[in-house]
Structure formats: structure tokens, C-alpha cells
mmCIF file of all heavy atoms in Angstrom:
data_model
loop_
_atom_site.group_PDB
_atom_site.id
_atom_site.type_symbol
_atom_site.label_atom_id
_atom_site.label_comp_id
_atom_site.label_asym_id
_atom_site.label_seq_id
_atom_site.Cartn_x
_atom_site.Cartn_y
_atom_site.Cartn_z
ATOM 1 N N ASP A 1 -1.266 -58.966 18.415
ATOM 2 C CA ASP A 1 -1.458 -60.149 17.582
ATOM 3 C C ASP A 1 -1.993 -59.661 16.242
ATOM 4 O O ASP A 1 -3.180 -59.393 16.096
ATOM 5 C CB ASP A 1 -2.447 -61.115 18.257
ATOM 6 C CG ASP A 1 -2.597 -62.423 17.494
ATOM 7 O OD1 ASP A 1 -2.353 -62.436 16.272
ATOM 8 O OD2 ASP A 1 -2.972 -63.408 18.111
ATOM 9 N N ASN A 2 -1.095 -59.518 15.283
ATOM 10 C CA ASN A 2 -1.498 -58.955 13.991
ATOM 11 C C ASN A 2 -2.506 -59.837 13.267
ATOM 12 O O ASN A 2 -3.407 -59.343 12.580
ATOM 13 C CB ASN A 2 -0.277 -58.731 13.114
ATOM 14 C CG ASN A 2 0.595 -57.600 13.614
ATOM 15 O OD1 ASN A 2 0.100 -56.649 14.235
ATOM 16 N ND2 ASN A 2 1.885 -57.704 13.387
ATOM 17 N N ALA A 3 -2.362 -61.143 13.424
ATOM 18 C CA ALA A 3 -3.270 -62.053 12.725
ATOM 19 C C ALA A 3 -4.706 -61.885 13.216
ATOM 20 O O ALA A 3 -5.662 -62.071 12.458
ATOM 21 C CB ALA A 3 -2.809 -63.489 12.905
ATOM 22 N N LYS A 4 -4.855 -61.538 14.492
ATOM 23 C CA LYS A 4 -6.185 -61.379 15.070
ATOM 24 C C LYS A 4 -6.588 -59.926 15.196
ATOM 25 O O LYS A 4 -7.657 -59.621 15.724
ATOM 26 C CB LYS A 4 -6.237 -62.044 16.447
ATOM 27 C CG LYS A 4 -6.011 -63.551 16.416
ATOM 28 C CD LYS A 4 -6.107 -64.146 17.816
ATOM 29 C CE LYS A 4 -5.915 -65.644 17.792
ATOM 30 N NZ LYS A 4 -5.994 -66.241 19.155
ATOM 31 N N ASN A 5 -5.720 -59.012 14.734
ATOM 32 C CA ASN A 5 -5.995 -57.574 14.852
ATOM 33 C C ASN A 5 -6.358 -57.204 16.286
ATOM 34 O O ASN A 5 -7.342 -56.491 16.535
ATOM 35 C CB ASN A 5 -7.123 -57.158 13.896
ATOM 36 C CG ASN A 5 -6.756 -57.403 12.451
ATOM 37 O OD1 ASN A 5 -5.625 -57.165 12.049
ATOM 38 N ND2 ASN A 5 -7.698 -57.895 11.676
ATOM 39 N N THR A 6 -5.577 -57.708 17.215
ATOM 40 C CA THR A 6 -5.860 -57.532 18.638
ATOM 41 C C THR A 6 -4.627 -57.008 19.363
ATOM 42 O O THR A 6 -3.502 -57.396 19.054
ATOM 43 C CB THR A 6 -6.285 -58.875 19.255
ATOM 44 O OG1 THR A 6 -7.481 -59.328 18.624
ATOM 45 C CG2 THR A 6 -6.544 -58.742 20.742
ATOM 46 N N VAL A 7 -4.877 -56.124 20.315
ATOM 47 C CA VAL A 7 -3.827 -55.654 21.205
ATOM 48 C C VAL A 7 -4.204 -56.061 22.628
ATOM 49 O O VAL A 7 -5.362 -55.909 23.038
ATOM 50 C CB VAL A 7 -3.658 -54.127 21.117
ATOM 51 C CG1 VAL A 7 -2.735 -53.626 22.214
ATOM 52 C CG2 VAL A 7 -3.087 -53.742 19.775
ATOM 53 N N VAL A 8 -3.230 -56.586 23.351
ATOM 54 C CA VAL A 8 -3.474 -57.109 24.693
ATOM 55 C C VAL A 8 -2.673 -56.296 25.712
ATOM 56 O O VAL A 8 -1.517 -55.946 25.468
ATOM 57 C CB VAL A 8 -3.065 -58.587 24.773
ATOM 58 C CG1 VAL A 8 -3.116 -59.091 26.202
ATOM 59 C CG2 VAL A 8 -3.975 -59.431 23.878
ATOM 60 N N LEU A 9 -3.302 -56.006 26.822
ATOM 61 C CA LEU A 9 -2.635 -55.346 27.954
ATOM 62 C C LEU A 9 -2.634 -56.327 29.120
ATOM 63 O O LEU A 9 -3.680 -56.620 29.697
ATOM 64 C CB LEU A 9 -3.356 -54.061 28.341
ATOM 65 C CG LEU A 9 -2.756 -53.306 29.527
ATOM 66 C CD1 LEU A 9 -1.377 -52.749 29.172
ATOM 67 C CD2 LEU A 9 -3.673 -52.169 29.970
ATOM 68 N N GLN A 10 -1.467 -56.853 29.438
ATOM 69 C CA GLN A 10 -1.313 -57.734 30.585
ATOM 70 C C GLN A 10 -0.939 -56.890 31.797
ATOM 71 O O GLN A 10 0.079 -56.188 31.769
ATOM 72 C CB GLN A 10 -0.235 -58.782 30.319
ATOM 73 C CG GLN A 10 0.037 -59.709 31.492
ATOM 74 C CD GLN A 10 -1.146 -60.607 31.813
ATOM 75 O OE1 GLN A 10 -1.778 -61.156 30.910
ATOM 76 N NE2 GLN A 10 -1.452 -60.757 33.094
ATOM 77 N N MET A 11 -1.759 -56.956 32.836
ATOM 78 C CA MET A 11 -1.554 -56.129 34.018
ATOM 79 C C MET A 11 -1.283 -57.025 35.216
ATOM 80 O O MET A 11 -2.136 -57.846 35.588
ATOM 81 C CB MET A 11 -2.795 -55.266 34.277
ATOM 82 C CG MET A 11 -3.191 -54.408 33.090
ATOM 83 S SD MET A 11 -4.553 -53.279 33.449
ATOM 84 C CE MET A 11 -5.881 -54.443 33.710
ATOM 85 N N ASN A 12 -0.099 -56.886 35.788
ATOM 86 C CA ASN A 12 0.295 -57.686 36.947
ATOM 87 C C ASN A 12 0.520 -56.786 38.152
ATOM 88 O O ASN A 12 0.728 -55.576 38.013
ATOM 89 C CB ASN A 12 1.570 -58.457 36.637
ATOM 90 C CG ASN A 12 1.396 -59.450 35.505
ATOM 91 O OD1 ASN A 12 0.333 -60.039 35.323
ATOM 92 N ND2 ASN A 12 2.459 -59.642 34.731
ATOM 93 N N ASN A 13 0.499 -57.385 39.330
ATOM 94 C CA ASN A 13 0.729 -56.656 40.568
ATOM 95 C C ASN A 13 -0.137 -55.390 40.629
ATOM 96 O O ASN A 13 0.363 -54.285 40.879
ATOM 97 C CB ASN A 13 2.205 -56.297 40.711
ATOM 98 C CG ASN A 13 2.543 -55.742 42.084
ATOM 99 O OD1 ASN A 13 1.834 -55.982 43.060
ATOM 100 N ND2 ASN A 13 3.628 -54.989 42.164
ATOM 101 N N LEU A 14 -1.406 -55.575 40.406
ATOM 102 C CA LEU A 14 -2.317 -54.434 40.355
ATOM 103 C C LEU A 14 -2.450 -53.758 41.708
ATOM 104 O O LEU A 14 -2.399 -54.404 42.763
ATOM 105 C CB LEU A 14 -3.686 -54.885 39.849
ATOM 106 C CG LEU A 14 -3.752 -55.095 38.333
ATOM 107 C CD1 LEU A 14 -4.904 -55.997 37.953
ATOM 108 C CD2 LEU A 14 -3.866 -53.752 37.623
ATOM 109 N N LYS A 15 -2.620 -52.441 41.660
ATOM 110 C CA LYS A 15 -2.744 -51.611 42.850
ATOM 111 C C LYS A 15 -4.095 -50.896 42.831
ATOM 112 O O LYS A 15 -4.668 -50.697 41.754
ATOM 113 C CB LYS A 15 -1.615 -50.589 42.885
ATOM 114 C CG LYS A 15 -0.220 -51.187 42.819
ATOM 115 C CD LYS A 15 0.842 -50.101 42.769
ATOM 116 C CE LYS A 15 2.236 -50.706 42.694
ATOM 117 N NZ LYS A 15 3.292 -49.661 42.646
ATOM 118 N N PRO A 16 -4.585 -50.485 43.997
ATOM 119 C CA PRO A 16 -5.857 -49.758 44.019
ATOM 120 C C PRO A 16 -5.867 -48.533 43.101
ATOM 121 O O PRO A 16 -6.900 -48.213 42.509
ATOM 122 C CB PRO A 16 -6.003 -49.366 45.487
ATOM 123 C CG PRO A 16 -5.282 -50.447 46.223
ATOM 124 C CD PRO A 16 -4.105 -50.787 45.357
ATOM 125 N N GLU A 17 -4.725 -47.879 42.971
ATOM 126 C CA GLU A 17 -4.661 -46.699 42.103
ATOM 127 C C GLU A 17 -4.730 -47.033 40.619
ATOM 128 O O GLU A 17 -4.795 -46.131 39.787
ATOM 129 C CB GLU A 17 -3.389 -45.887 42.387
ATOM 130 C CG GLU A 17 -2.108 -46.681 42.365
ATOM 131 C CD GLU A 17 -1.675 -47.114 43.755
ATOM 132 O OE1 GLU A 17 -2.550 -47.533 44.550
ATOM 133 O OE2 GLU A 17 -0.461 -47.052 44.034
ATOM 134 N N ASP A 18 -4.734 -48.312 40.271
ATOM 135 C CA ASP A 18 -4.933 -48.711 38.876
ATOM 136 C C ASP A 18 -6.417 -48.772 38.515
ATOM 137 O O ASP A 18 -6.767 -48.993 37.355
ATOM 138 C CB ASP A 18 -4.309 -50.085 38.615
ATOM 139 C CG ASP A 18 -2.803 -50.087 38.738
ATOM 140 O OD1 ASP A 18 -2.173 -49.123 38.250
ATOM 141 O OD2 ASP A 18 -2.252 -51.040 39.326
ATOM 142 N N THR A 19 -7.267 -48.580 39.489
ATOM 143 C CA THR A 19 -8.709 -48.609 39.240
ATOM 144 C C THR A 19 -9.122 -47.521 38.273
ATOM 145 O O THR A 19 -8.667 -46.376 38.371
ATOM 146 C CB THR A 19 -9.480 -48.430 40.567
ATOM 147 O OG1 THR A 19 -9.246 -49.570 41.395
ATOM 148 C CG2 THR A 19 -10.969 -48.277 40.325
ATOM 149 N N GLY A 20 -9.978 -47.874 37.312
ATOM 150 C CA GLY A 20 -10.470 -46.892 36.355
ATOM 151 C C GLY A 20 -11.120 -47.560 35.161
ATOM 152 O O GLY A 20 -11.179 -48.792 35.071
ATOM 153 N N LEU A 21 -11.582 -46.710 34.271
ATOM 154 C CA LEU A 21 -12.149 -47.178 33.012
ATOM 155 C C LEU A 21 -11.028 -47.178 31.973
ATOM 156 O O LEU A 21 -10.416 -46.135 31.739
ATOM 157 C CB LEU A 21 -13.293 -46.262 32.583
ATOM 158 C CG LEU A 21 -14.174 -46.722 31.433
ATOM 159 C CD1 LEU A 21 -14.830 -48.063 31.751
ATOM 160 C CD2 LEU A 21 -15.227 -45.667 31.143
ATOM 161 N N TYR A 22 -10.763 -48.330 31.406
ATOM 162 C CA TYR A 22 -9.647 -48.494 30.481
ATOM 163 C C TYR A 22 -10.163 -48.464 29.051
ATOM 164 O O TYR A 22 -11.064 -49.229 28.680
ATOM 165 C CB TYR A 22 -8.913 -49.806 30.756
ATOM 166 C CG TYR A 22 -7.990 -49.727 31.941
ATOM 167 C CD1 TYR A 22 -8.480 -49.535 33.224
ATOM 168 C CD2 TYR A 22 -6.609 -49.810 31.779
ATOM 169 C CE1 TYR A 22 -7.644 -49.434 34.316
ATOM 170 C CE2 TYR A 22 -5.747 -49.721 32.873
ATOM 171 C CZ TYR A 22 -6.280 -49.534 34.132
ATOM 172 O OH TYR A 22 -5.431 -49.440 35.212
ATOM 173 N N PHE A 23 -9.555 -47.587 28.260
ATOM 174 C CA PHE A 23 -9.955 -47.382 26.871
ATOM 175 C C PHE A 23 -8.853 -47.828 25.923
ATOM 176 O O PHE A 23 -7.674 -47.555 26.161
ATOM 177 C CB PHE A 23 -10.233 -45.903 26.596
ATOM 178 C CG PHE A 23 -11.384 -45.327 27.369
ATOM 179 C CD1 PHE A 23 -11.174 -44.731 28.597
ATOM 180 C CD2 PHE A 23 -12.666 -45.361 26.849
ATOM 181 C CE1 PHE A 23 -12.221 -44.194 29.317
ATOM 182 C CE2 PHE A 23 -13.728 -44.817 27.551
ATOM 183 C CZ PHE A 23 -13.509 -44.236 28.792
ATOM 184 N N CYS A 24 -9.254 -48.446 24.845
ATOM 185 C CA CYS A 24 -8.345 -48.761 23.752
ATOM 186 C C CYS A 24 -8.380 -47.627 22.745
ATOM 187 O O CYS A 24 -9.453 -47.063 22.460
ATOM 188 C CB CYS A 24 -8.776 -50.066 23.093
ATOM 189 S SG CYS A 24 -7.739 -50.604 21.718
ATOM 190 N N LYS A 25 -7.225 -47.288 22.214
ATOM 191 C CA LYS A 25 -7.115 -46.230 21.209
ATOM 192 C C LYS A 25 -6.295 -46.729 20.035
ATOM 193 O O LYS A 25 -5.317 -47.460 20.208
ATOM 194 C CB LYS A 25 -6.443 -44.997 21.812
ATOM 195 C CG LYS A 25 -6.205 -43.863 20.829
ATOM 196 C CD LYS A 25 -5.418 -42.733 21.480
ATOM 197 C CE LYS A 25 -5.103 -41.625 20.497
ATOM 198 N NZ LYS A 25 -4.294 -40.543 21.119
ATOM 199 N N ALA A 26 -6.715 -46.342 18.843
ATOM 200 C CA ALA A 26 -5.924 -46.601 17.634
ATOM 201 C C ALA A 26 -5.810 -45.290 16.866
ATOM 202 O O ALA A 26 -6.687 -44.437 16.963
ATOM 203 C CB ALA A 26 -6.577 -47.675 16.771
ATOM 204 N N TRP A 27 -4.736 -45.145 16.124
ATOM 205 C CA TRP A 27 -4.598 -43.888 15.371
ATOM 206 C C TRP A 27 -3.877 -44.112 14.049
ATOM 207 O O TRP A 27 -3.107 -45.060 13.873
ATOM 208 C CB TRP A 27 -3.887 -42.815 16.199
ATOM 209 C CG TRP A 27 -2.463 -43.120 16.524
ATOM 210 C CD1 TRP A 27 -1.359 -42.757 15.808
ATOM 211 C CD2 TRP A 27 -1.984 -43.846 17.651
ATOM 212 N NE1 TRP A 27 -0.231 -43.220 16.425
ATOM 213 C CE2 TRP A 27 -0.577 -43.885 17.558
ATOM 214 C CE3 TRP A 27 -2.604 -44.475 18.731
ATOM 215 C CZ2 TRP A 27 0.205 -44.532 18.513
ATOM 216 C CZ3 TRP A 27 -1.832 -45.104 19.680
ATOM 217 C CH2 TRP A 27 -0.438 -45.142 19.571
ATOM 218 N N ARG A 28 -4.211 -43.239 13.124
ATOM 219 C CA ARG A 28 -3.561 -43.187 11.816
ATOM 220 C C ARG A 28 -3.384 -41.716 11.496
ATOM 221 O O ARG A 28 -4.362 -40.988 11.352
ATOM 222 C CB ARG A 28 -4.410 -43.872 10.757
ATOM 223 C CG ARG A 28 -3.797 -43.835 9.357
ATOM 224 C CD ARG A 28 -4.758 -44.368 8.310
ATOM 225 N NE ARG A 28 -5.130 -45.737 8.549
ATOM 226 C CZ ARG A 28 -6.374 -46.139 8.800
ATOM 227 N NH1 ARG A 28 -7.362 -45.269 8.865
ATOM 228 N NH2 ARG A 28 -6.639 -47.430 8.977
ATOM 229 N N LEU A 29 -2.139 -41.275 11.420
ATOM 230 C CA LEU A 29 -1.795 -39.858 11.245
ATOM 231 C C LEU A 29 -2.461 -39.073 12.379
ATOM 232 O O LEU A 29 -2.205 -39.336 13.540
ATOM 233 C CB LEU A 29 -2.220 -39.394 9.860
ATOM 234 C CG LEU A 29 -1.530 -40.096 8.677
ATOM 235 C CD1 LEU A 29 -2.069 -39.599 7.355
ATOM 236 C CD2 LEU A 29 -0.022 -39.893 8.754
#
């Protein structure tokens, strides 16, 4: 959502192996 400067991760059908600490990353060059 560029207007809100937000990135969304929709996660469906989650599995036990999806467990973890989730980090957002941004980069420029």
C-alpha cells in the first residue's frame, strides 16, 4: 500500500513449520 507506506504479508493455510520470528526488510541499492 504505497499511500500508507506499508507492506502486508497474508499467510493462509499455516503449518507448524511456519513458526518463527518474522522480519520486515527494506533495501535501497
